[in-house]
């Protein structure tokens, strides 16, 4: 559904030869990562453990609550891919890039933000995207949705 909603990510995947299959070749200690396609850690070979780890992260506030389902991991990683796609579209336009980064930083401290979102702008974007796409009505999700509309014009 996300690839259909944000076709620019799928287009970039096709142009760069990236994979978007769900596999478990990632680091054994990693739940999920994005980079050259999606990779889900070997923890996914035991869904019960993954669910436990993810629910613990949500409960502690280290990751956004979203809709409370494991789909939040996928949304987060897809958020990284959309962030990269948006940044690539700004290549060579320093002022636009500065404005984009400032927009992302403006989300800091909004209700619904996770602890993990404070790591850097990339994680802020991914966490905000996960919260937004979960259908959340948190201040964090709403503010992100307004910015996303502007960025994708």
């Amino acid at each position: 559904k996300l690839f259909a909603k944000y076709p620019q990510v799928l287009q970039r995947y096709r142009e760069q030869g990236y994979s978007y299959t769900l596999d478990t070749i990632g680091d054994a200690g990693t739940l999920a990562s994005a980079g050259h396609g999606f990779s889900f850690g070997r923890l996914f070979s035991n869904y019960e453990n993954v669910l436990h780890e993810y629910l613990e992260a949500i409960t502690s506030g280290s990751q956004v609550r979203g809709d409370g389902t494991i789909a939040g991991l996928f949304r987060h990683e897809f958020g990284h891919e959309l962030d990269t796609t948006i940044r690539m579209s700004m290549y060579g336009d320093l002022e636009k890039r500065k404005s984009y980064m400032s927009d992302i930083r403006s989300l800091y401290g909004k209700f619904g933000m996770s602890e993990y979102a404070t790591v850097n702008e990339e994680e802020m974007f991914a966490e905000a995207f996960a919260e937004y796409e979960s259908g959340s009505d948190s201040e964090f999700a709403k503010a992100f949705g307004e910015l996303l509309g502007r960025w994708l014009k």
Side-chain angles (χ1 to χ4, degrees):
K1 289 180 181 183
L2 291 176
F3 280 115
K5 189 171 181 179
Y6 303 99
Q8 54 275 68
V9 174
L10 185 56
Q11 179 182 346
R12 183 173 64 85
Y13 266 40
R14 288 180 176 150
E15 289 170 358
Q16 297 180 334
Y18 291 168
S19 168
Y20 53 93
T21 58
L22 304 182
D23 57 40
T24 57
I25 60 171
D27 178 12
T30 302
L31 282 178
S33 66
H36 299 289
F38 287 96
S39 175
F40 289 84
R42 288 191 178 91
L43 286 172
F44 265 83
S45 62
N46 184 329
Y47 184 76
E48 194 171 301
N49 284 345
V50 172
L51 191 57
H52 173 76
E53 294 276 333
Y54 187 61
L55 290 176
E56 190 174 287
I58 290 171
T59 303
S60 72
S62 67
Q63 290 193 304
V64 293
R65 183 166 303 280
D67 62 2
T69 70
I70 202 77
L73 280 175
F74 184 82
R75 289 184 198 108
H76 174 98
E77 298 308 330
F78 191 92
H80 282 303
E81 294 301 320
L82 182 59
D83 178 35
T84 298
T85 301
I86 292 170
R87 288 173 195 247
M88 288 176 73
S89 75
M90 298 174 183
Y91 184 78
D93 189 337
L94 188 57
E95 289 307 311
K96 199 172 186 179
R97 175 89 179 222
K98 283 181 182 178
S99 175
Y100 176 72
M101 297 303 282
S102 177
D103 283 349
I104 293 172
R105 287 189 291 272
S106 76
L107 297 169
Y108 188 84
K110 303 277 186 210
F111 178 78
M113 185 185 92
S114 68
E115 179 184 321
Y116 194 52
T118 66
V119 170
N120 57 37
E121 288 87 356
E122 291 85 2
E123 298 304 340
M124 176 71 76
F125 186 102
E127 285 288 274
F129 182 81
E131 182 77 351
Y132 172 75
E133 281 297 326
S134 75
S136 171
D137 66 349
S138 72
E139 179 186 15
F140 188 50
K142 288 177 185 175
F144 178 81
E146 291 171 14
L147 295 173
L148 185 62
R150 188 170 65 217
W151 298 327
L152 294 177
K153 283 185 181 178

